[in-house]
Amino acid sequence: IFVCGNVFTYATEKTDLVSYLLNKFNIGEEFQKQAMQIGSVQDSNGIKISVKEIALNDDLLIIHYFIQSNKPLSSPFFLSGKKTLHYATDKQISLPSTSLGERRNKQQITVKSDTEYDLYEVYPIAELPKDNSLELALSLKSIQPFEESPDTIFIKEEIEGKWNFTIPLDSKNS
């Protein structure tokens, strides 16, 4: 069910994400088996964000969110906030908050209904330590719908909220 590499897709119809992603990006079943079911939910400002699944391997972290809103959101959009991997050794890595163009290329949004969205974010991870407990801290502060022109991306409006998640991960299985 995961997206890999540089991709952005805005789909208005329900699609079979598993088949699409496995075919388009040649993601093997082994990677798919690494997905951890999370199911953690936070509700703020009329928007419910669920962290559904997380997959972690030697060089990628993929987060699958399910977003429900009490009113339609302009799509496509970004989830803005601090995203950090914490190691048991007190080391931490902030997941990159890069340019809007780079962020766009590392996510996929599928519109499930007028008020429901699947969002996948992909982060490259360098030198993931083996046999180390990890914790993913997500402190999301806004949803940022955006528009594109041929030479720029700009945020249309920002919907503020507070969605905080702390999720234990295990790099031993990566």
Side-chain angles (χ1 to χ4, degrees):
I1 307 183
F2 297 100
V3 77
C4 180
N6 292 331
V7 60
F8 173 77
T9 301
Y10 170 57
T12 56
E13 299 176 5
K14 292 182 181 177
T15 59
D16 182 354
L17 286 174
V18 176
S19 297
Y20 170 77
L21 294 170
L22 288 176
N23 290 333
K24 183 163 178 130
F25 302 103
N26 195 26
I27 300 172
E29 287 182 21
E30 191 58 40
F31 188 79
Q32 198 176 14
K33 288 178 189 174
Q34 293 177 15
M36 295 171 265
Q37 301 298 316
I38 307 299
S40 185
V41 180
Q42 292 285 312
D43 194 339
S44 180
N45 201 14
I47 299 171
K48 207 181 281 189
I49 298 180
S50 304
V51 178
K52 302 230 3 153
E53 301 167 297
I54 294 178
L56 178 67
N57 71 8
D58 290 335
D59 56 359
L60 286 177
L61 170 68
I62 300 173
I63 306 169
H64 172 200
Y65 302 94
F66 181 69
I67 298 148
Q68 294 175 294
S69 178
N70 59 6
K71 60 183 180 181
L73 300 174
S74 296
S75 186
F77 55 80
F78 298 121
L79 291 181
S80 176
K82 188 173 181 180
K83 301 166 188 175
T84 310
L85 273 176
H86 297 273
Y87 295 86
T89 59
D90 291 331
K91 178 182 176 184
Q92 70 179 30
I93 297 174
S94 291
L95 300 178
S97 178
T98 56
S99 73
L100 295 179
E102 288 180 32
R103 286 171 58 194
R104 178 203 63 216
N105 290 329
K106 290 183 169 57
Q107 73 173 29
Q108 174 175 345
I109 297 172
T110 302
V111 177
K112 306 292 276 180
S113 74
D114 286 345
T115 59
E116 297 180 331
Y117 312 84
D118 270 320
L119 171 63
Y120 294 82
E121 291 181 332
V122 179
Y123 296 96
I125 303 294
E127 300 180 33
L128 183 66
K130 295 291 183 190
D131 299 323
N132 197 355
S133 294
L134 301 170
E135 184 177 85
L136 177 63
L138 302 171
S139 181
L140 307 175
K141 64 178 185 171
S142 68
I143 293 177
Q144 299 175 327
F146 65 90
E147 287 185 11
E148 295 182 83
S149 68
D151 57 349
T152 190
I153 296 173
F154 61 93
I155 303 297
K156 294 193 303 189
E157 76 257 9
E158 190 168 45
I159 303 164
E160 294 184 353
K162 187 175 181 179
W163 305 275
N164 295 315
F165 302 90
T166 303
I167 302 161
L169 305 174
D170 188 357
S171 68
K172 295 174 188 171
N173 295 328
S174 62

